[in-house]
Amino acid sequence: MISKKISITRDTFDQLILPVYNPVSFIPVKGKGSRIWDQEGKEYIDFSGGIAVTSLGHCHPVLNKILKNQSKILWHVSNVFTNEPALRLAKKLVSFSFASRVFFANSGAEANEAAFKLARYYSCKTYNTKKNIIISFYNSFHGRTFFTVSVGGQSKYSDNFGPKPKGIIHASFNNINTVKNLINNNTCAVVVEPIQGEGGVIPASISFLKELRTLCDKYNALLIFDEIQTGIGRTGKLFSYQNYDVIPDILTLAKSLGGGFPISAMLTTKKVASIISPGVHGTTYGGNPLACAVAESVIDIINTKKFLSGVEKKSKRIIRELNIINKRFKLFTEIRGQGLLIGAVLKSNISCKINEILNFSFLEGVIFLTAGNNVIRLAPSLNIRERDIIEGMKRFSNALEKCLL
Ligand SMILES: Cc1ncc(COP(=O)(O)O)c(C=O)c1O
């Protein structure tokens, strides 16, 4: 059989892929560290990190080696068996956190789905079936399964899919009085992102998180931290809750955990986990040896004092560069976030739309994300090099010159 040479372009996406995305016009074909290259060989500096995922950059040599080695040993066994990489990874997650039990899944939404089901199950079994209300926050994002998207606080993502799951209510982020008005003995859980990522890189205040903890204790509700975007070094600590001295009952991780290999985890205490028995929840791929071997290595590399303080230094450097850019172009009202999850909030009266700024940036060879309506989001690799930061910001400046002046 003669194989036809297939030409792959951005148009191929429109012809073949369900249009739930609108990818940019170029197709990345290669990545190394914080740089990627498209089909034409054009090079870009990547401040998107695959939406806060490629925590160690593209094709990190240690992760490459681990993945290659594991691929020769064992790929998949299912949860009929356990496996060594999953147990090693669980050991590390438990020893570095408040948690005693781990559930592995494949995506952020699945980790949150497990967290919300666990909170409901725990409360129904421990207290009564009426104790099933989940309080979440407007503007939050917890994934795209129907349960997680309904818990999320942006109805644009959950409308028009038919009847939504009941027992979910929303309070205002960083406004404890709205939680006080809603919480009662029927509340089973409060779920919060320590920094609302997708919603606009909005950090929770320490006092807000502390008061949530107090309210949850008062009403025997579980406090769930969605650290899918903030976890595994992104904020300068291995887990973002360690910045606040507030310990959740359940914590979810994904994104940076696998450095690009799909894996997620839900962590909880022995007490909460004690209600679970075989068959209550599950997934075929969760705890896959390939994913767990990579994630173990990601944690080994990130969880050192030197690496985590490097995140802080890189964060300061990027913010310094953004402030210099802002002095010249006067386009941000605020630069916020923590560690390497940074949001630059655009003024409402600038002459360019946010997507135009991103497109001009692509043309100059630098990649950013958006968040909320008007925030340029940066979630680069945690090991991005200083020279990539400087060069990337130079390219951003060039893009703004073309876009705004
Ligand atoms: C805070 C948060 N939770 C959950 C999710 C969903 O993760 P996934 O897309 O892997 O399902 C995301 C993804 O952006 C997220 O930022």
Side-chain angles (χ1 to χ4, degrees):
M1 203 166 86
I2 301 164
S3 72
K4 277 192 233 158
K5 194 168 183 325
I6 303 170
S7 138
I8 301 286
T9 67
R10 171 61 178 76
D11 289 343
T12 321
F13 177 93
D14 294 333
Q15 288 151 16
L16 297 176
I17 305 291
L18 190 76
V20 290
Y21 313 111
N22 182 21
V24 303
S25 55
F26 63 88
I27 299 182
V29 292
K30 195 177 97 174
K32 186 96 197 99
S34 287
R35 303 205 179 205
I36 59 178
W37 288 264
D38 70 13
Q39 291 171 309
E40 267 70 56
K42 181 174 158 75
E43 176 237 85
Y44 303 80
I45 295 178
D46 182 10
F47 286 95
S48 74
I51 319 190
V53 166
T54 51
S55 45
L56 295 175
H58 299 278
C59 301
H60 189 283
V62 175
L63 302 190
N64 278 350
K65 195 169 152 205
I66 293 284
L67 187 57
K68 197 170 159 196
N69 285 349
Q70 185 61 42
S71 77
K72 290 186 208 153
I73 301 170
L74 188 68
W75 280 37
H76 175 80
V77 287
S78 90
N79 291 303
V80 171
F81 310 91
T82 188
N83 67 77
E84 289 181 353
L87 296 177
R88 284 200 309 265
L89 176 60
K91 220 172 193 175
K92 289 191 173 157
L93 288 170
V94 164
S95 69
F96 299 137
S97 75
F98 71 95
S100 302
R101 296 288 183 271
V102 180
F103 171 78
F104 288 119
N106 315 288
S107 66
E110 284 171 274
N112 281 339
E113 183 86 19
F116 304 156
K117 280 180 73 182
L118 173 61
R120 286 246 177 111
Y121 195 79
Y122 175 80
S123 294
C124 281
K125 290 278 186 181
T126 310
Y127 303 102
N128 60 70
T129 53
K130 280 197 184 137
K131 194 170 173 62
N132 60 44
I133 306 296
I134 294 174
I135 298 180
S136 136
F137 294 96
Y138 290 116
N139 202 42
S140 64
F141 186 77
H142 298 297
R144 298 289 199 138
T145 64
F146 203 32
F147 194 7
T148 57
V149 87
S150 304
V151 171
Q154 304 184 59
S155 55
K156 65 179 180 194
Y157 294 136
S158 57
D159 287 345
N160 302 312
F161 293 102
K164 296 183 191 180
K166 290 183 185 152
I168 299 163
I169 50 180
H170 296 94
S172 299
F173 189 64
N174 273 337
N175 181 339
I176 201 66
N177 286 331
T178 64
V179 184
K180 283 183 184 160
N181 288 338
L182 294 174
I183 197 165
N184 59 36
N185 287 327
N186 287 338
T187 307
C188 74
V190 176
V191 54
V192 67
E193 294 163 85
I195 301 173
Q196 285 193 335
E198 209 268 346
V201 192
I202 308 169
S205 72
I206 298 182
S207 62
F208 179 65
L209 295 175
K210 281 189 189 294
E211 288 184 277
L212 285 183
R213 180 68 273 175
T214 306
L215 283 174
C216 283
D217 289 343
K218 183 171 170 194
Y219 291 98
N220 288 320
L222 299 176
L223 181 60
I224 304 174
F225 273 14
D226 177 343
E227 290 217 27
I228 280 158
Q229 195 151 161
T230 57
I232 312 295
R234 174 91 17 217
T235 67
K237 298 266 195 246
L238 189 61
F239 306 103
S240 138
Y241 79 86
Q242 293 163 333
N243 291 303
Y244 311 105
D245 209 16
V246 176
I247 297 177
D249 302 292
I250 300 177
L251 180 142
T252 53
L253 298 166
K255 290 189 182 280
S256 290
L257 178 61
F261 203 97
I263 180 169
S264 64
M266 179 195 67
L267 277 52
T268 192
T269 60
K270 200 169 171 184
K271 184 177 162 205
V272 173
S274 67
I275 210 73
I276 296 293
S277 53
V280 170
H281 190 61
T283 159
T284 299
Y285 292 111
N288 169 281
L290 289 168
C292 290
V294 173
E296 185 195 6
S297 197
V298 168
I299 290 190
D300 287 344
I301 295 170
I302 289 178
N303 194 30
T304 67
K305 254 193 180 155
K306 191 169 171 218
F307 189 97
L308 291 170
S309 68
V311 171
E312 290 292 347
K313 277 192 206 130
K314 291 164 202 293
S315 170
K316 282 194 183 124
R317 183 72 214 228
I318 290 177
I319 289 171
R320 198 167 94 205
E321 295 290 331
L322 287 173
N323 276 318
I324 293 169
I325 285 173
N326 202 26
K327 247 192 184 154
R328 176 161 176 225
F329 295 99
K330 299 186 177 38
L331 76 168
F332 306 134
T333 56
E334 190 187 358
I335 296 163
R336 65 192 180 204
Q338 195 169 21
L340 287 171
L341 182 55
I342 299 169
V345 187
L346 290 175
K347 283 184 182 165
S348 55
N349 61 352
I350 55 168
S351 58
C352 243
K353 292 204 176 87
I354 188 162
N355 281 336
E356 289 173 299
I357 294 180
L358 255 59
N359 285 334
F360 273 97
S361 301
F362 295 149
L363 289 174
E364 290 301 316
V366 58
I367 300 172
F368 300 106
L369 298 164
T370 60
N373 297 326
N374 63 340
V375 179
I376 295 181
R377 176 173 34 159
L378 292 80
S381 308
L382 306 179
N383 57 355
I384 185 169
R385 295 174 308 178
E386 186 166 7
R387 76 177 106 130
D388 291 337
I389 295 175
I390 294 166
E391 174 63 22
M393 289 295 147
K394 206 162 94 192
R395 294 182 190 182
F396 187 34
S397 217
N398 294 342
L400 290 171
E401 219 167 75
K402 292 188 177 141
C403 185
L404 294 169
L405 301 182

